[in-house]
Short mmCIF file of all heavy atoms in Angstrom, two decimals:
data_model
loop_
_atom_site.label_atom_id
_atom_site.label_comp_id
_atom_site.label_asym_id
_atom_site.label_seq_id
_atom_site.Cartn_x
_atom_site.Cartn_y
_atom_site.Cartn_z
N GLU A 36 -8.09 -1.50 -13.45
CA GLU A 36 -6.94 -0.62 -13.58
C GLU A 36 -6.61 0.04 -12.25
O GLU A 36 -5.43 0.18 -11.89
CB GLU A 36 -7.19 0.44 -14.64
CG GLU A 36 -6.01 1.34 -14.99
CD GLU A 36 -4.87 0.58 -15.63
OE1 GLU A 36 -5.09 -0.54 -16.17
OE2 GLU A 36 -3.72 1.11 -15.60
N LEU A 37 -7.62 0.42 -11.50
CA LEU A 37 -7.40 1.01 -10.19
C LEU A 37 -6.71 0.02 -9.28
O LEU A 37 -5.79 0.34 -8.50
CB LEU A 37 -8.72 1.46 -9.56
CG LEU A 37 -9.30 2.78 -10.10
CD1 LEU A 37 -10.69 2.98 -9.54
CD2 LEU A 37 -8.40 3.96 -9.71
N LYS A 38 -7.16 -1.24 -9.29
CA LYS A 38 -6.54 -2.30 -8.48
C LYS A 38 -5.09 -2.48 -8.85
O LYS A 38 -4.21 -2.60 -7.97
CB LYS A 38 -7.29 -3.59 -8.61
CG LYS A 38 -8.68 -3.60 -7.98
CD LYS A 38 -9.42 -4.89 -8.22
CE LYS A 38 -10.80 -4.86 -7.68
NZ LYS A 38 -11.58 -6.10 -7.97
N ARG A 39 -4.80 -2.48 -10.18
CA ARG A 39 -3.43 -2.65 -10.64
C ARG A 39 -2.56 -1.50 -10.14
O ARG A 39 -1.40 -1.72 -9.68
CB ARG A 39 -3.38 -2.71 -12.15
CG ARG A 39 -3.68 -4.06 -12.74
CD ARG A 39 -3.28 -4.17 -14.21
NE ARG A 39 -4.17 -3.36 -15.02
CZ ARG A 39 -5.24 -3.84 -15.66
NH1 ARG A 39 -5.60 -5.11 -15.47
NH2 ARG A 39 -6.00 -3.05 -16.41
N ARG A 40 -3.08 -0.31 -10.21
CA ARG A 40 -2.29 0.87 -9.77
C ARG A 40 -2.09 0.92 -8.28
O ARG A 40 -1.02 1.32 -7.78
CB ARG A 40 -3.00 2.17 -10.26
CG ARG A 40 -3.09 2.29 -11.74
CD ARG A 40 -1.72 2.30 -12.38
NE ARG A 40 -1.76 2.19 -13.84
CZ ARG A 40 -0.69 2.11 -14.62
NH1 ARG A 40 0.51 2.11 -14.10
NH2 ARG A 40 -0.83 2.04 -15.93
N LEU A 41 -3.07 0.47 -7.51
CA LEU A 41 -2.88 0.41 -6.03
C LEU A 41 -1.85 -0.62 -5.65
O LEU A 41 -1.00 -0.40 -4.79
CB LEU A 41 -4.24 0.08 -5.39
CG LEU A 41 -5.25 1.22 -5.37
CD1 LEU A 41 -6.60 0.72 -4.87
CD2 LEU A 41 -4.75 2.39 -4.53
N VAL A 42 -1.87 -1.79 -6.33
CA VAL A 42 -0.86 -2.81 -6.09
C VAL A 42 0.49 -2.28 -6.47
O VAL A 42 1.49 -2.47 -5.75
CB VAL A 42 -1.21 -4.11 -6.86
CG1 VAL A 42 -0.04 -5.10 -6.78
CG2 VAL A 42 -2.49 -4.73 -6.27
N HIS A 43 0.55 -1.58 -7.60
CA HIS A 43 1.78 -1.01 -8.11
C HIS A 43 2.35 -0.05 -7.08
O HIS A 43 3.54 -0.10 -6.70
CB HIS A 43 1.47 -0.26 -9.39
CG HIS A 43 2.64 0.02 -10.26
ND1 HIS A 43 2.85 -0.57 -11.49
CD2 HIS A 43 3.78 0.77 -10.03
CE1 HIS A 43 3.95 -0.12 -12.03
NE2 HIS A 43 4.54 0.68 -11.18
N ALA A 44 1.54 0.88 -6.57
CA ALA A 44 1.97 1.86 -5.61
C ALA A 44 2.39 1.26 -4.29
O ALA A 44 3.24 1.83 -3.57
CB ALA A 44 0.88 2.91 -5.40
N SER A 45 1.77 0.13 -3.94
CA SER A 45 2.14 -0.52 -2.66
C SER A 45 3.62 -0.95 -2.61
O SER A 45 4.19 -1.14 -1.55
CB SER A 45 1.23 -1.72 -2.42
OG SER A 45 1.52 -2.78 -3.32
N GLY A 46 4.22 -1.06 -3.81
CA GLY A 46 5.65 -1.40 -3.89
C GLY A 46 6.52 -0.32 -3.28
O GLY A 46 7.74 -0.56 -3.00
N THR A 47 5.98 0.86 -3.00
CA THR A 47 6.75 1.93 -2.37
C THR A 47 7.23 1.50 -0.99
O THR A 47 8.19 2.00 -0.47
CB THR A 47 5.91 3.20 -2.25
OG1 THR A 47 5.44 3.59 -3.56
CG2 THR A 47 6.69 4.35 -1.69
N GLY A 48 6.52 0.54 -0.40
CA GLY A 48 6.93 0.03 0.89
C GLY A 48 8.33 -0.60 0.86
O GLY A 48 9.05 -0.62 1.88
N LEU A 49 8.73 -1.07 -0.30
CA LEU A 49 10.08 -1.68 -0.39
C LEU A 49 11.20 -0.66 -0.20
O LEU A 49 12.06 -0.80 0.69
CB LEU A 49 10.24 -2.42 -1.74
CG LEU A 49 9.38 -3.67 -1.89
CD1 LEU A 49 9.38 -4.20 -3.31
CD2 LEU A 49 9.88 -4.75 -0.93
N PRO A 50 11.27 0.42 -0.99
CA PRO A 50 12.33 1.38 -0.74
C PRO A 50 12.21 2.10 0.62
O PRO A 50 13.22 2.58 1.14
CB PRO A 50 12.19 2.39 -1.91
CG PRO A 50 10.85 2.24 -2.43
CD PRO A 50 10.51 0.78 -2.23
N LEU A 51 10.97 2.14 1.14
CA LEU A 51 10.80 2.72 2.48
C LEU A 51 11.58 1.98 3.55
O LEU A 51 11.97 2.55 4.55
CB LEU A 51 9.33 2.83 2.84
CG LEU A 51 8.54 3.98 2.21
CD1 LEU A 51 7.08 3.92 2.62
CD2 LEU A 51 9.12 5.34 2.65
N LEU A 52 11.79 0.67 3.34
CA LEU A 52 12.58 -0.10 4.26
C LEU A 52 13.96 0.52 4.42
O LEU A 52 14.47 0.58 5.55
CB LEU A 52 12.71 -1.56 3.79
CG LEU A 52 11.46 -2.42 3.76
CD1 LEU A 52 11.72 -3.74 3.10
CD2 LEU A 52 10.95 -2.61 5.20
N TYR A 53 14.55 0.96 3.32
CA TYR A 53 15.84 1.61 3.37
C TYR A 53 15.73 3.05 3.81
O TYR A 53 16.49 3.51 4.68
CB TYR A 53 16.53 1.56 2.02
CG TYR A 53 17.80 2.39 1.97
CD1 TYR A 53 18.98 1.95 2.58
CD2 TYR A 53 17.81 3.67 1.39
CE1 TYR A 53 20.11 2.70 2.56
CE2 TYR A 53 18.94 4.43 1.37
CZ TYR A 53 20.09 3.94 1.96
OH TYR A 53 21.22 4.72 1.96
N ILE A 54 14.78 3.79 3.27
CA ILE A 54 14.66 5.23 3.59
C ILE A 54 14.43 5.43 5.09
O ILE A 54 14.99 6.36 5.69
CB ILE A 54 13.47 5.81 2.80
CG1 ILE A 54 13.78 5.82 1.28
CG2 ILE A 54 13.20 7.25 3.23
CD1 ILE A 54 12.61 6.16 0.41
N LEU A 55 13.65 4.55 5.69
CA LEU A 55 13.32 4.71 7.15
C LEU A 55 14.37 4.05 8.05
O LEU A 55 14.23 4.05 9.23
CB LEU A 55 11.95 4.12 7.41
CG LEU A 55 10.78 4.83 6.70
CD1 LEU A 55 9.46 4.13 7.05
CD2 LEU A 55 10.69 6.27 7.12
N GLY A 56 15.39 3.46 7.44
CA GLY A 56 16.50 2.92 8.20
C GLY A 56 16.32 1.53 8.77
O GLY A 56 17.06 1.07 9.64
N PHE A 57 15.31 0.79 8.25
CA PHE A 57 15.14 -0.56 8.73
C PHE A 57 16.20 -1.54 8.24
O PHE A 57 16.47 -2.56 8.87
CB PHE A 57 13.73 -1.09 8.36
CG PHE A 57 12.62 -0.37 9.06
CD1 PHE A 57 11.74 0.46 8.36
CD2 PHE A 57 12.42 -0.51 10.42
CE1 PHE A 57 10.68 1.09 8.98
CE2 PHE A 57 11.38 0.12 11.06
CZ PHE A 57 10.54 0.98 10.36
N VAL A 58 16.70 -1.27 7.03
CA VAL A 58 17.77 -2.12 6.46
C VAL A 58 18.83 -1.21 5.84
O VAL A 58 18.57 -0.06 5.51
CB VAL A 58 17.19 -3.05 5.36
CG1 VAL A 58 16.19 -4.03 5.96
CG2 VAL A 58 16.55 -2.24 4.23
N SER A 59 20.04 -1.77 5.71
CA SER A 59 21.11 -1.06 5.00
C SER A 59 20.88 -1.21 3.51
O SER A 59 20.04 -2.00 3.08
CB SER A 59 22.45 -1.64 5.41
OG SER A 59 22.57 -2.98 4.98
N TRP A 60 21.70 -0.55 2.73
CA TRP A 60 21.54 -0.67 1.27
C TRP A 60 21.89 -2.04 0.76
O TRP A 60 21.19 -2.60 -0.08
CB TRP A 60 22.44 0.37 0.58
CG TRP A 60 22.20 0.51 -0.90
CD1 TRP A 60 23.10 0.23 -1.91
CD2 TRP A 60 20.98 0.92 -1.54
NE1 TRP A 60 22.49 0.48 -3.16
CE2 TRP A 60 21.17 0.90 -2.95
CE3 TRP A 60 19.72 1.31 -1.08
CZ2 TRP A 60 20.23 1.24 -3.90
CZ3 TRP A 60 18.76 1.67 -2.01
CH2 TRP A 60 19.00 1.61 -3.38
N SER A 61 22.90 -2.65 1.33
CA SER A 61 23.26 -4.01 0.92
C SER A 61 22.16 -5.00 1.38
O SER A 61 21.85 -5.94 0.65
CB SER A 61 24.61 -4.44 1.56
OG SER A 61 24.57 -4.37 2.96
N GLN A 62 21.60 -4.79 2.56
CA GLN A 62 20.49 -5.66 3.01
C GLN A 62 19.26 -5.49 2.11
O GLN A 62 18.56 -6.44 1.83
CB GLN A 62 20.14 -5.33 4.47
CG GLN A 62 21.21 -5.79 5.45
CD GLN A 62 20.97 -5.30 6.87
OE1 GLN A 62 20.31 -4.27 7.06
NE2 GLN A 62 21.51 -6.00 7.84
N PHE A 63 19.02 -4.24 1.68
CA PHE A 63 17.92 -4.02 0.78
C PHE A 63 18.11 -4.76 -0.51
O PHE A 63 17.15 -5.27 -1.10
CB PHE A 63 17.76 -2.51 0.57
CG PHE A 63 16.58 -2.16 -0.32
CD1 PHE A 63 15.35 -2.71 -0.11
CD2 PHE A 63 16.74 -1.25 -1.34
CE1 PHE A 63 14.24 -2.39 -0.96
CE2 PHE A 63 15.66 -0.90 -2.17
CZ PHE A 63 14.44 -1.46 -1.99
N GLY A 64 19.34 -4.82 -0.95
CA GLY A 64 19.65 -5.62 -2.18
C GLY A 64 19.27 -7.08 -1.96
O GLY A 64 18.70 -7.68 -2.90
N LEU A 65 19.53 -7.62 -0.83
CA LEU A 65 19.16 -9.01 -0.52
C LEU A 65 17.61 -9.18 -0.50
O LEU A 65 17.10 -10.19 -1.01
CB LEU A 65 19.75 -9.45 0.78
CG LEU A 65 21.30 -9.51 0.87
CD1 LEU A 65 21.77 -9.87 2.24
CD2 LEU A 65 21.80 -10.55 -0.13
N VAL A 66 16.95 -8.20 0.04
CA VAL A 66 15.48 -8.23 0.05
C VAL A 66 14.94 -8.29 -1.37
O VAL A 66 14.04 -9.07 -1.73
CB VAL A 66 14.90 -7.01 0.81
CG1 VAL A 66 13.40 -6.93 0.58
CG2 VAL A 66 15.22 -7.10 2.28
N MET A 67 15.53 -7.47 -2.24
CA MET A 67 15.06 -7.40 -3.64
C MET A 67 15.42 -8.71 -4.39
O MET A 67 14.66 -9.11 -5.26
CB MET A 67 15.65 -6.18 -4.33
CG MET A 67 15.09 -4.87 -3.87
SD MET A 67 13.26 -4.81 -3.75
CE MET A 67 12.80 -5.38 -5.41
N ILE A 68 16.54 -9.29 -4.07
CA ILE A 68 16.88 -10.55 -4.71
C ILE A 68 15.81 -11.60 -4.33
O ILE A 68 15.35 -12.41 -5.18
CB ILE A 68 18.27 -11.04 -4.28
CG1 ILE A 68 19.35 -10.17 -4.95
CG2 ILE A 68 18.50 -12.52 -4.66
CD1 ILE A 68 20.78 -10.43 -4.45
N LEU A 69 15.45 -11.63 -3.07
CA LEU A 69 14.40 -12.58 -2.60
C LEU A 69 13.07 -12.33 -3.34
O LEU A 69 12.38 -13.25 -3.77
CB LEU A 69 14.21 -12.41 -1.08
CG LEU A 69 13.11 -13.31 -0.47
CD1 LEU A 69 13.41 -14.79 -0.69
CD2 LEU A 69 13.00 -13.01 1.04
N CYS A 70 12.73 -11.04 -3.49
CA CYS A 70 11.48 -10.70 -4.21
C CYS A 70 11.53 -11.15 -5.66
O CYS A 70 10.58 -11.66 -6.19
CB CYS A 70 11.26 -9.20 -4.13
SG CYS A 70 10.81 -8.54 -2.51
N SER A 71 12.70 -10.95 -6.27
CA SER A 71 12.84 -11.36 -7.69
C SER A 71 12.80 -12.86 -7.87
O SER A 71 12.17 -13.39 -8.81
CB SER A 71 14.16 -10.82 -8.24
OG SER A 71 14.11 -9.45 -8.51
N VAL A 72 13.42 -13.60 -6.96
CA VAL A 72 13.36 -15.05 -7.03
C VAL A 72 11.94 -15.55 -6.83
O VAL A 72 11.50 -16.42 -7.57
CB VAL A 72 14.30 -15.67 -5.96
CG1 VAL A 72 14.08 -17.17 -5.86
CG2 VAL A 72 15.76 -15.39 -6.29
#
Side-chain angles (χ1 to χ4, degrees):
E36 186 66 18
L37 283 172
K38 290 177 183 178
R39 278 194 290 266
R40 295 302 170 181
L41 286 173
V42 171
H43 199 115
S45 69
T47 303
L49 291 170
L51 280 177
L52 291 173
Y53 171 77
I54 295 170
L55 297 178
F57 291 112
V58 296
S59 66
W60 189 242
S61 59
Q62 289 170 335
F63 182 45
L65 294 176
V66 170
M67 290 312 308
I68 289 173
L69 178 60
C70 289
S71 285
V72 170

